[in-house]
Amino acid sequence: MVNLQDNGKYETAWCPGCGNFPMLDAMKRALVKLDLAPHQVLFVSGIGQAAKAPHYLNANLFNGLHGRSLPAATGAKIANKNLVVIDESGDGCMYGEGGNHFLAAIRRNIDITVIVHNNQIYGLTKGQASPTTDEGVVTKAQPQGVIEEPFHPLAVAVALHAGFVARSFSGLQDHLVDMIVAAVRHRGFSLVDVLQPCVSFNKVNTFAWYKKRCSELPNEYDPTDWNLALRTASEWGDRIPIGVIYKNDRPAFEDRIDALKGGPLVGAPVPQDALAQVMAAYA
Amino acid sequence: MVNLQDNGKYETAWCPGCGNFPMLDAMKRALVKLDLAPHQVLFVSGIGQAAKAPHYLNANLFNGLHGRSLPAATGAKIANKNLVVIDESGDGCMYGEGGNHFLAAIRRNIDITVIVHNNQIYGLTKGQASPTTDEGVVTKAQPQGVIEEPFHPLAVAVALHAGFVARSFSGLQDHLVDMIVAAVRHRGFSLVDVLQPCVSFNKVNTFAWYKKRCSELPNEYDPTDWNLALRTASEWGDRIPIGVIYKNDRPAFEDRIDALKGGPLVGAPVPQDALAQVMAAYA
Amino acid sequence: MSINACNILLGGEAGQGLVTVGNLLAKILVRHGYYIVVTESYQSRIRGGHNTFSIRVSADPITASQDKVDLLVALNAQTVTIDGGTLSDTGTIVTDEAFGVTCDRCLQAPYRQLASARYANTVALGLAASLLGLSQDICSEAVREAFGRKGPEVIEENLQALAGAYQWSAGKSTPCPGLPKISAPEKRLVMNGNDAIALGALSAGIKFYSFYPMTPSTSIGLVLAANAARMGMVVEQAEDEIAAINMAIGASFAGAPSMVSTSGGGFALMVEGVSLAAMTETPLVIAVGQRPAPATGLPTRTEQSDLEFVLHSGHGEFPRAIFAPGSVEDCFFLTRRAFEIAEHSQSPVFILFDQFLADSQRAVKPFDLAGLPPIEVGARPDGVKTPYRRFELTADGVSPRLFPGMGEHLVIADSDEHTEDGHITEDLSIRKAMVEKRLAKLEWIRSQATPPSFAGDESPDILLVTWGSTFGAALEAVETMRSRGRKAALLNFSQVWPLVPQQFMDKLKGAKEVVGVEGNATAQFARLIRRETGFEIARTILRYDGLPITPEWILREIK
Amino acid sequence: MSINACNILLGGEAGQGLVTVGNLLAKILVRHGYYIVVTESYQSRIRGGHNTFSIRVSADPITASQDKVDLLVALNAQTVTIDGGTLSDTGTIVTDEAFGVTCDRCLQAPYRQLASARYANTVALGLAASLLGLSQDICSEAVREAFGRKGPEVIEENLQALAGAYQWSAGKSTPCPGLPKISAPEKRLVMNGNDAIALGALSAGIKFYSFYPMTPSTSIGLVLAANAARMGMVVEQAEDEIAAINMAIGASFAGAPSMVSTSGGGFALMVEGVSLAAMTETPLVIAVGQRPAPATGLPTRTEQSDLEFVLHSGHGEFPRAIFAPGSVEDCFFLTRRAFEIAEHSQSPVFILFDQFLADSQRAVKPFDLAGLPPIEVGARPDGVKTPYRRFELTADGVSPRLFPGMGEHLVIADSDEHTEDGHITEDLSIRKAMVEKRLAKLEWIRSQATPPSFAGDESPDILLVTWGSTFGAALEAVETMRSRGRKAALLNFSQVWPLVPQQFMDKLKGAKEVVGVEGNATAQFARLIRRETGFEIARTILRYDGLPITPEWILREIK
Ligand SMILES: Cc1ncc(C[n+]2csc(CCOP(=O)(O)OP(=O)(O)O)c2C)c(N)n1
Ligand SMILES: Cc1ncc(C[n+]2csc(CCOP(=O)(O)OP(=O)(O)O)c2C)c(N)n1
Ligand code: SF4
Ligand code: SF4
Ligand SMILES: [Mg+2]
Ligand SMILES: [Mg+2]
């Protein structure tokens, strides 16, 4: 049995009061609930305050480039499909620099879980607008206020028939633990967008702001109803729905690739007779 | 008055029977209808068979990198907002390599018109799957058939509240002309996704295939109804809706930026007294 | 010319099936026991335009293509106009009488009478084969194999077109030098550079390959994709080149030997990933197929202008190795070698080739696979100290590499500067140690460097210095000079980084004149030699119009 | 040390307002007429950790920072522990008695009694200012300006904290060398490298700037954004660096002088765009702020390790220029120059700086804006031949540049190889001509090259060779050596490409010993010198732990 101690205790580089702390705790609790030992899990992250999170627990980790965690996670999962791969990064990393990979990963439906620390701001670089910053928010880089329509990650994910799409809030830890657990258990691409207050740079979307708005989906909500999901995913205002917004059972990438139908690629022998055949075709 | 001859006549590098030809003709007709003289228009394109199109008519042209036409178009429009900027490229260019810019351009809502030659294949590189290739289609690069969920450009555009979203078919030239004209007239970001048979590499989505499915939206269709638009944009099967699927009147980027409220940036004098003030602040 | 060879050029427009019959003719020639060098010349379009497929053939080993054409086979009238000028004094042009072109040395064949227009390419193949005195049986067999999947009808019609062509040309012959009958032809493979890179990777044990299509390297991916299922590997077409390289790094980190391939513009998008591979010490093989640049340039032509770009790609300082194959065999063996060096040095390693070699089919002795085991990957967990530290500081800079999930150890890697156990750090003394650790690995890479090959006279009057695909043309040019009594030699680099001056300084210094021969406009390799050795290669022969350097080109420039 | 200077170091954790008071103190010192060199040292986090802000001050011009600290002002206890060791023999540490640290030369002040914890940083400022004998009026004025926007209450509380600190330290003083009263201080500006780059761009007439945030260059964008509306320019935060550079190219193509800035990893994503700018002959200024790499490296530290990367960035061959400012003034003037060279050569031009200079505030003489008109952009349409050909072949390679929509002419540019009128072509003779046209522009760029500056003794025993931000430290090291009787000199390159050997070979050859001093681990510039001149700089002093090179560092290494 895995327990919380297995996840270690590290000093963080985060600001006191940051929403990243409860997210870290929730992740540790989820790993315990999932009974995953540190060596069974591979975290992959990008660059940003959020992306440091996996350094603060015990697990395998590939902390790659800003915006490029998803391709690295995809490659690692292909190399060893037995790994539980969790990709954890910030909104800027995942939806900004990494936007194209976000689209592709959804479409690929490979069995990785993506946890986005969505603080609606670029934290580590000191407070520029991120793709999810609300319209009108003023920053040093946007002194006239943001004029772009915010990116709607959940709506886009549902529009592209992502396998599993959920939203949670760092201030509701039990809910968050449940979402992470469900996302990891889902076979295929899973997205959990987590609203996370940044106390240093986001003075608009604060803990209280989120707290007031986040509202759990009712029990009778049917996350397999795509039309409903699309509407629900697009809700963002006085009420922000949290929970599993959409899911389906599209086959996962690794279940559709011949070479992945056996054991993992890592360590598998190279078939020398097949190679001889390949060469012979050039005669 | 601008007439068809103004648009020149060039030899193309396209295959006989390609859907790009009627698209070129439609574009010329649209320019005439819009009464736009060659020097008033700037085409921007990427790389691919589609991206060559603007070479075959008379206009200004910036033929940039594969996947990067949208940022170049954005910069050019900012530099000279009086230019009518039309970005024309292929599905691979716009939704594959250029996916992240597609998302950002929609959100930015700058007044450019994007015409995508969507042949659901990478033509110029000889027939690999593009983001819009249908599931199951076999190519040399996808010998087991495509396993990804196709990208749904219109659904994503609507989900992100794009200013103007339309679909047309190269085989319905009048319709296409109307769509281009409406798109150019729309102030803000406009997308026209054009189904375009590639006779050399796409043996599935042929002229006949599209012809059978394309069906114009009824007169009573309300493109300002976002929920309806989202459903309509996602339709892809025995019936493929064509027409203006969604539009709104979000203010365009250039109407919200102080420095763009006067004349175009190009040629404007540099305000030397303002500069002196800027410097003085460092004293 | 000292070499007895015949140069056949097929010309036509894209979509006429030129490459199909070119490939067939190449195969047929090799099955007769001949050596070949193919030069594919095509445009960036799918139909129309003007393409050529040239096969230089000889009973003796050859390494280069040739400008003058001995047998020109035209699939359209344009070919006669455009390529007629390249005909040698004794050459022949085969045309369709329907083209209505008149020319001195034209053999006017009635293509349309011999088969329907659809099979004009097969007619042309038959005419060429028959005029060259090739066995109709071998031709027919090759045609049967090639069209096997298209059903008996297609095969039959092709065979008839072939037969018609043989019949018509019976008794006719063309003077084509250097094609004596070979009674017991050795078994050889026909493959181009891309094929050989793909095979080399498979032989090394590649498990993951990701790519975004880009000429001239796309077919590496297609070959791997076609064989992925049976080879137990995964080929993934990525959303862009950035994804391609980051996927490959992720896969390699998790234990799958990985490669990406691309061309200059796509590689430009990968350079941040190169730096990531270096920082996380993840082995990675990167094949860059050069074509004329800047930007999109001439997508289907050849050039050698990305040497300095690749050598300095990626921010920061770290070791790497760059191989530059000069032949199809090199493509195979150096790709294997690239995987080995990458794995052992835990670094990015490059294969820097170009469109000419990528598309150039050659006759190749089958590789002795039994003697070529897959490379060993990673360290054995039981031999590793606990607690496991992925970036343990060691004397040679190489730390034992374990894989995540393959034991209870944890593997942690970071693109930030990191501690020995892989965690992010801002400790500046660790920074210093880690810089030195990473750079220390260059020593080992240097110790493994493939020395340049030398051919020709010791202390020559003229020494050509080449790298990559220019090797073959330069070798032949040197041989020709020597056959004309000039003391000449060639120094060819199939590894261009790191350079080990001790391996070649005596050769540079021992020559009266040193001439750099490169397919670029600024003599990049000559510059690199000067940087590394101080030796100035004062004279260079450069080509940058998109075509490969040929022996004649070199000889003409040298005078 | 020959230079009479005082080194003040403020230390604390991120979030304590260290930079706020550091900036204030810098401004106050400059208003007293002193010269300053600021070194900001911070970590990649927003709160906590350990940051320092050091200000070296002198009544005489200074160019470098200094290791030894004369006045250490601690905002937390940790500062005393971590930085105490850097104290000079006569130095003083100012601490809060509440920290409970005991030390020999500690001045224990009651921070909490002087103001509430919120204003501890202002207390520290007041203590430092008062101990240095600075005018309380000037301090109060600066505080008032800084907090003006926060309302009268905040100003008042800050002023009280300041007053308290002045009162407490009245009569106390610290031995700090080199700060004589200056009776009529000259008016100087206080700005860092990033500020000066932004100002230089504005002065050149920048109209469009796009960026993706990245340390250490982000604040260039913030300065421009803050002033964009009144300067009539647009600043756009792009979705990624690829978009940033392609936007800037599009804007420049359409007639807006444009710039991007980034750091190594972000620049890695721009290199395809560099090649595009070159191919389409679009002027573009690219400012690259170096930091320790590979990959994410040490995001907030300094290094000079991207020289070779930037020099060879982009596939294919084309001209470029690279400026490497050595001072804040350089940042301003060379940025202007970069716009000029970019515009005239229609090429990408680089400003290669680093975190140290980016963040290093200095006292700068106000720029004489009247004598610095914006650059001229594009050609006059009426002087241009019709039909207009954007890429007309000319002797010097420069074709007249018109803008789309600014007349009836059509402007066509292509990333593919193109004809004179800009349309895609696969004609190989045009290809050759266009390669030569583009490369010809390097001649003009070379003719404009800023020569390296030389300071010190002719025919010196020791000649330091530097580039970029290392200039200041080396200059002082040379002066110190000379003051000690050694024949020493400095050769500093503020333009590192193209190199013009005639400008400096005599200096290299005229020195007994040449020592390269660089902030990297492999001596990249020394290598470049050898490549371009054959001259081998055999000895190098390198630093790559993330901190800037100081005069002491150089002197210690030289011995
Ligand atoms: C290629 C590249 N561009 C830019 C950066 C600089 N950078 C580091 S973190 C970051 C933004 C982080 O924002 P987000 O992902 O939202 O994470 P947060 O810090 O808010 O948790 C940026 C722009 C980088 N490291 N690499
Ligand atoms: C960075 C980069 N990667 C890859 C390529 C090669 N490339 C050229 S066109 C193309 C695909 C074109 O597909 P699409 O945009 O759908 O246009 P089509 O040819 O189908 O009209 C690719 C992959 C390139 N030019 N640049
Ligand atoms: S900057 Fe914001 S997101 Fe980052 S640690 Fe601080 S509060 Fe959290
Ligand atoms: S390859 Fe396809 S898209 Fe391209 S020109 Fe030919 S038919 Fe048209
Ligand atoms: Mg964020
Ligand atoms: Mg396409």
Side-chain angles (χ1 to χ4, degrees), chain C residues 30-325:
Chain C
V30 173
R31 288 186 180 171
H32 280 80
Y34 299 122
Y35 290 89
I36 59 168
V37 171
V38 167
T39 309
E40 278 200 51
S41 173
Y42 51 103
Q43 291 183 297
S44 188
R45 57 193 293 164
I46 309 305
R47 292 280 149 79
H50 180 61
N51 294 356
T52 64
F53 189 105
S54 92
I55 313 178
R56 188 171 182 227
V57 204
S58 175
D60 305 314
I62 48 172
T63 57
S65 52
Q66 165 181 328
D67 293 343
K68 283 285 165 202
V69 172
D70 299 301
L71 178 61
L72 198 165
V73 182
L75 287 177
N76 63 2
Q78 227 194 347
T79 299
V80 182
T81 335
I82 298 180
D83 297 305
T86 62
L87 207 66
S88 73
D89 298 342
T90 56
T92 308
I93 302 181
V94 176
T95 59
D96 185 347
E97 55 183 25
F99 294 162
V101 290
T102 47
C103 67
D104 271 3
R105 289 202 308 285
C106 273
L107 196 65
Q108 305 274 2
Y111 286 25
R112 294 284 147 80
Q113 283 170 34
L114 302 174
S116 76
R118 241 186 107 184
Y119 299 104
N121 61 339
T122 310
V123 168
L125 170 69
L127 293 170
S130 138
L131 290 167
L132 292 166
L134 302 177
S135 139
Q136 191 178 341
D137 285 353
I138 293 183
C139 285
S140 305
E141 178 55 27
V143 165
R144 235 177 255 119
E145 285 167 27
F147 298 107
R149 280 191 307 173
K150 302 212 168 170
E153 207 166 315
V154 174
I155 297 185
E156 202 39 51
E157 304 213 48
N158 273 292
L159 287 179
Q160 271 171 25
L162 202 66
Y166 261 85
Q167 226 162 346
W168 182 84
S169 54
K172 304 189 179 66
S173 87
T174 60
C176 215
L179 297 187
K181 283 251 150 21
I182 296 175
S183 51
E186 257 184 72
K187 194 180 156 189
R188 295 204 191 87
L189 310 173
V190 186
M191 61 175 71
N192 65 24
N194 278 355
D195 296 324
I197 289 172
L199 270 185
L202 289 173
S203 158
I206 189 175
K207 290 272 167 53
F208 182 72
Y209 170 88
S210 45
F211 76 116
Y212 188 84
M214 190 158 197
T215 311
S217 78
T218 309
S219 75
I220 297 175
L222 303 185
V223 170
L224 292 174
N227 296 296
R230 60 170 152 176
M231 290 301 298
M233 70 165 294
V234 172
V235 169
E236 180 62 9
Q237 182 179 319
E239 54 273 27
D240 55 31
E241 288 86 351
I242 304 172
I245 192 167
N246 281 280
M247 277 182 196
I249 291 170
S252 178
F253 168 76
S258 297
M259 177 166 88
V260 294
S261 75
T262 182
S263 182
F267 179 65
L269 294 165
M270 292 186 173
V271 305
E272 193 191 12
V274 172
S275 191
L276 175 66
M279 189 57 148
T280 57
E281 304 198 41
T282 309
L284 181 65
V285 176
I286 305 162
V288 181
Q290 297 163 102
R291 65 190 216 189
T296 311
L298 288 173
T300 62
R301 305 293 174 167
T302 203
E303 197 161 275
Q304 295 186 289
S305 62
D306 291 336
L307 170 61
E308 290 178 324
F309 176 41
V310 166
L311 176 57
H312 304 103
S313 59
H315 49 304
E317 300 176 295
F318 50 86
R320 75 191 82 200
I322 307 177
F323 293 100

Side-chain angles (χ1 to χ4, degrees), chain A residues 90-92 117 119-123:
Chain A
D91 47 328
H117 297 224
N119 55 11
Q120 304 188 255
I121 204 81
Y122 283 2

Side-chain angles (χ1 to χ4, degrees), chain B residues 90-92 117 119-123:
Chain B
D91 47 328
H117 298 225
N119 56 11
Q120 303 188 258
I121 204 81
Y122 284 3

Side-chain angles (χ1 to χ4, degrees), chain B residues 35-271:
Chain B
D35 200 28
L36 287 168
H39 71 275
Q40 297 176 296
V41 183
L42 170 64
F43 280 87
V44 179
S45 69
I47 295 297
Q49 291 289 67
K52 291 175 183 167
H55 279 286
Y56 307 142
L57 48 72
N58 282 341
N60 296 292
L61 168 60
F62 187 85
N63 184 175
L65 298 172
H66 180 60
R68 315 302 170 187
S69 57
L70 277 170
T74 302
K77 181 75 186 179
I78 291 174
N80 186 350
K81 63 179 193 167
N82 292 347
L83 285 168
V84 172
V85 177
I86 302 177
D87 186 329
E88 196 169 1
S89 230
D91 47 328
C93 200
M94 202 64 75
Y95 308 138
E97 186 86 69
N100 205 29
H101 313 308
F102 180 67
L103 301 178
I106 292 171
R107 296 178 40 227
R108 211 171 262 125
N109 200 33
I110 193 162
D111 185 20
I112 59 184
T113 297
V114 176
I115 310 290
V116 181
H117 298 225
N118 186 355
N119 56 11
Q120 303 188 258
I121 204 81
Y122 284 3
L124 188 55
T125 47
K126 305 197 172 174
Q128 302 80 24
S130 90
T132 52
T133 305
D134 286 331
E135 217 176 311
V137 171
V138 171
T139 81
K140 280 194 186 167
Q142 285 76 26
Q144 303 194 335
V146 170
I147 63 174
E148 280 91 8
E149 171 82 17
F151 183 64
H152 305 300
L154 305 187
V156 167
V158 176
L160 295 176
H161 300 269
F164 178 101
V165 180
R167 182 189 280 126
S168 189
F169 167 41
S170 68
L172 295 168
Q173 216 187 93
D174 291 345
H175 184 267
L176 177 53
V177 171
D178 289 346
M179 290 300 110
I180 297 174
V181 168
V184 171
R185 288 203 175 125
H186 176 82
R187 192 164 174 86
F189 180 86
S190 320
L191 168 68
V192 187
D193 182 83
V194 186
L195 304 173
Q196 171 243 319
C198 167
V199 296
S200 290
F201 296 112
N202 190 333
K203 309 289 181 179
V204 176
N205 312 98
T206 59
F207 181 88
W209 193 95
Y210 289 128
K211 182 85 195 174
K212 207 171 91 188
R213 288 168 174 77
C214 284
S215 120
E216 280 193 54
L217 289 168
N219 275 339
E220 64 277 12
Y221 180 83
D222 177 7
T224 65
D225 178 340
W226 184 80
N227 280 304
L228 174 64
L230 208 43
R231 274 203 310 280
T232 310
S234 302
E235 264 184 74
W236 184 267
D238 289 344
R239 177 179 172 262
I240 299 174
I242 62 171
V244 179
I245 289 174
Y246 178 65
K247 67 178 181 195
N248 63 33
D249 51 10
R250 276 168 64 196
F253 177 90
E254 57 271 48
D255 295 334
R256 301 183 69 174
I257 301 270
D258 279 353
L260 294 180
K261 287 180 180 159
L265 297 185
V266 52
V270 179

Side-chain angles (χ1 to χ4, degrees), chain D residues 136-193:
Chain D
Q136 191 178 342
D137 285 354
I138 294 184
C139 285
S140 303
E141 178 56 27
V143 164
R144 235 177 254 118
E145 286 168 28
F147 298 106
R149 282 191 306 175
K150 301 210 169 172
E153 206 167 316
V154 173
I155 297 186
E156 204 37 53
E157 304 214 47
N158 273 292
L159 287 179
Q160 272 171 24
L162 202 65
Y166 261 84
Q167 228 164 344
W168 181 84
S169 53
K172 303 190 179 68
S173 87
T174 58
C176 214
L179 296 187
K181 283 248 148 24
I182 296 174
S183 50
E186 259 184 71
K187 195 181 155 189
R188 295 204 191 89
L189 310 174
V190 186
M191 61 175 70
N192 64 25

